[in-house]
Amino acid sequence: MNILVINAGSSSLKYQLYDMRDESVLAKGKVERIGMDSAILSHEPSGKNEVREVSEILEHTTAIRKVLGMLIHPEHGVLERIEDVHAVGHRVVHGGEAFSSSVIVNEEVKSQIKRLFDLAPLHNPAHMLGIQAVEQNLPNVPQAVVFDTAFHQTMPAHAFLYAIPMVLYRRHKIRRYGFHGTSHAYVSERAAQFLGKPYEELKIVTCHIGNGASCAAVMNGKSIDTSMGMTPLEGLMMGTRSGDIDPAVVPFIMAKEDLTVNEVSSMLNKHSGLLAISGISSDMREVTEAMQSGDKIAGFAFDMFTYRIRKYIGAYAAAMNGIDALVFTAGIGENSEAVRKAVCSGLTFLGLEFDDERNRTGRGQERLISTDASKVAVLVIPTNEEWMIARDTYALVSGGEPHGIAVTPEQVPSRGS
Ligand code: ADP
């Protein structure tokens, strides 16, 4: 069975085609600048040369048509006929409380995703465009959706509620949802396999550190807390996002700087984090290079970034009463020796013994970077969200169970109801 995995954004669309017989990637690529007359389709077929095509792509339906055309292209294609795409899996950022595992797309699922537009205004509408574009191009092909929030639906109410009037949760579903769930699920489970220990018996802290960054506490195979909140702005310091901030700062700066809601939101999401503090870049490579060539401000930004991660690891060690494994993943987590070392340097109180040599070697591979004697196994596990989406889609269209646990979110206690 061949499965096309799609991650649709408002002006871009990434794809990966899997042959599930051996789980190999037949092709991958992306369409950028959807909505413009000079949109770019970059296509990487396995075993063939990459190709880049510039053309007018005004909406997602055309983008999908172009991608499908590329998949069966006589020269750049990897399939004989379009009927060889047997199912499509979509990444969807926000599943709210409605979804705690992946599901097959039907009318009810689509209306639920639409109802969540308010909670993820930048993401869910774009995913819906992707789903509809596939329906138009491949009307008979089953589609599944895999949610970034689903894995975290196991969080207990004391971890997911904010200490604000309960009516706001009841009326607007304001609570912590958490994101990067597909990645946290994948790397925590791989960590257990790597260590040869039962997933259901481990206390794992996963650090997904890319442009967006979040930590999760995964206890006995379930997410019990995570650093992102109702939106992906809360928690760690990120490339351009502030992460945790005193909420009183928001109305304060709005008044002092005469900012609108959109302006303050844009400041916290796009002009903060590593970019704001380093004054150089949101990109960890550039900040690290500047730090290593003696730039003190870059060094300060780096310290602030890694301090916040360490603080969350400590908090989650307390939440779980200990840690068996600490996992680094995503762009920075997988690639930055310096960040991993700095984060782990203050964690000896947990019995964590970092191994410098292991940290330096084995790039791109799953590996242990703590000593054999360390009480906490520190691992680098490259994430693979696309594969998780393909796997769940395959399971669902074959009539099986998707990954993850279908849970009903814990009932929040209330008086008199
Ligand atoms: P996104 O959240 O956009 O998916 P990624 O997971 O791709 O982000 O991570 C992007 C981040 O990874 C950038 O900050 C980039 O600088 C960082 N990164 C990639 N390679 C390295 C490296 N070799 N050393 C340090 N940081 C790296």
Side-chain angles (χ1 to χ4, degrees):
M1 186 184 289
N2 297 322
I3 293 184
L4 182 61
V5 172
I6 290 180
N7 182 354
S10 55
S11 67
S12 72
L13 185 150
K14 293 188 199 138
Y15 63 94
Q16 227 169 98
L17 180 70
Y18 282 86
D19 178 347
M20 295 310 283
R21 283 173 304 183
D22 57 359
E23 293 175 355
S24 59
V25 176
L26 298 175
K28 61 179 176 181
K30 57 178 183 249
V31 184
E32 291 165 288
R33 296 153 63 108
I34 298 174
M36 301 177 77
D37 55 8
S38 57
I40 306 162
L41 166 57
S42 323
H43 177 68
E44 294 177 41
S46 161
K48 296 182 179 180
N49 290 337
E50 285 181 38
V51 45
R52 194 166 177 273
E53 199 182 83
V54 179
S55 63
E56 180 180 87
I57 301 182
L58 295 181
E59 26 64 51
H60 287 67
T61 307
T62 317
I64 293 283
R65 198 175 66 237
K66 296 260 184 196
V67 169
L68 296 173
M70 209 43 113
L71 294 177
I72 55 166
H73 192 279
E75 196 183 335
H76 313 298
V78 291
L79 299 176
E80 300 231 317
R81 320 166 298 150
I82 214 57
E83 289 74 23
D84 293 337
V85 175
H86 301 116
V88 177
H90 294 266
R91 171 193 181 217
V92 174
V93 163
H94 221 305
E97 289 188 338
F99 300 103
S100 58
S101 65
S102 308
V103 289
I104 293 275
V105 175
N106 58 27
E107 289 308 316
E108 173 55 22
V109 167
K110 282 192 288 182
S111 17
Q112 289 273 21
I113 296 174
K114 280 189 195 151
R115 267 178 243 141
L116 295 164
F117 278 8
D118 263 1
L119 286 178
L122 299 179
H123 294 100
N124 276 26
H127 303 320
M128 186 51 79
L129 291 175
I131 293 168
Q132 286 162 343
V134 171
E135 273 174 353
Q136 274 153 21
N137 283 282
L138 301 170
N140 300 317
V141 170
Q143 301 192 71
V145 274
V146 178
F147 301 93
D148 276 18
T149 48
F151 181 60
H152 300 303
Q153 279 295 298
T154 47
M155 278 188 289
H158 66 251
F160 73 64
L161 273 187
Y162 294 119
I164 56 176
M166 288 290 278
V167 66
L168 295 171
Y169 167 67
R170 301 208 191 284
R171 232 184 246 161
H172 307 292
K173 292 286 172 217
I174 294 175
R175 51 160 284 183
R176 175 184 314 286
Y177 291 96
F179 298 88
H180 297 137
T182 313
S183 178
H184 289 295
Y186 174 78
V187 301
S188 55
E189 202 174 347
R190 287 296 308 165
Q193 286 163 359
F194 184 98
L195 297 169
K197 295 193 174 151
Y199 187 40
E200 300 72 24
E201 292 174 17
L202 288 174
K203 295 170 181 175
I204 306 174
V205 175
T206 45
C207 303
H208 176 111
I209 318 287
N211 274 320
S214 65
C215 286
V218 183
M219 190 168 172
N220 307 336
K222 292 181 185 170
S223 170
I224 61 140
D225 207 347
T226 189
S227 58
M228 282 179 168
M230 183 179 94
T231 77
L233 181 58
E234 192 181 346
L236 301 173
M237 174 172 160
M238 310 182 211
T240 60
R241 290 176 230 163
S242 64
D244 293 335
I245 183 173
D246 178 349
V249 171
V250 175
F252 188 86
I253 47 181
M254 285 175 81
K256 291 280 179 196
E257 300 282 325
D258 196 19
L259 296 180
T260 63
V261 169
N262 283 345
E263 284 165 343
V264 79
S265 165
S266 160
M267 187 203 85
L268 294 171
N269 278 290
K270 298 187 184 147
H271 305 285
S272 298
L274 208 49
L275 173 66
I277 302 299
S278 72
I280 295 176
S281 172
S282 62
D283 191 298
M284 184 48 97
R285 262 169 306 202
E286 288 178 35
V287 173
T288 312
E289 274 163 31
M291 172 179 79
Q292 286 163 352
S293 6
D295 185 313
K296 290 220 163 36
I297 310 276
F300 175 73
F302 178 94
D303 289 346
M304 217 173 131
F305 188 89
T306 51
Y307 172 72
R308 293 251 185 134
I309 302 172
R310 196 178 329 125
K311 219 162 70 157
Y312 265 98
I313 296 169
Y316 291 161
M320 297 191 287
N321 194 15
I323 316 183
D324 300 307
L326 172 63
V327 183
F328 288 98
T329 195
I332 299 172
E334 290 167 33
N335 295 302
S336 175
E337 290 164 26
V339 167
R340 291 191 302 258
K341 185 176 162 73
V343 169
C344 291
S345 66
L347 296 174
T348 47
F349 76 99
L350 291 170
L352 187 155
E353 284 179 24
F354 195 70
D355 188 315
D356 273 320
E357 179 56 27
R358 287 178 176 172
N359 185 40
R360 272 194 298 270
T361 50
R363 177 170 291 234
Q365 285 167 15
E366 291 184 354
R367 63 195 195 280
L368 186 74
I369 57 168
S370 49
T371 65
D372 292 336
S374 178
K375 290 209 180 96
V376 180
V378 185
L379 300 161
V380 180
I381 309 266
T383 195
N384 200 341
E385 290 157 287
E386 293 78 12
W387 180 79
M388 287 284 273
I389 297 172
R391 191 175 82 164
D392 269 9
T393 305
Y394 179 70
L396 283 165
V397 299
S398 318
E401 290 292 316
H403 177 270
I405 316 152
V407 289
T408 315
E410 189 182 316
Q411 284 304 305
V412 173
S414 74
R415 285 187 201 283
S417 63

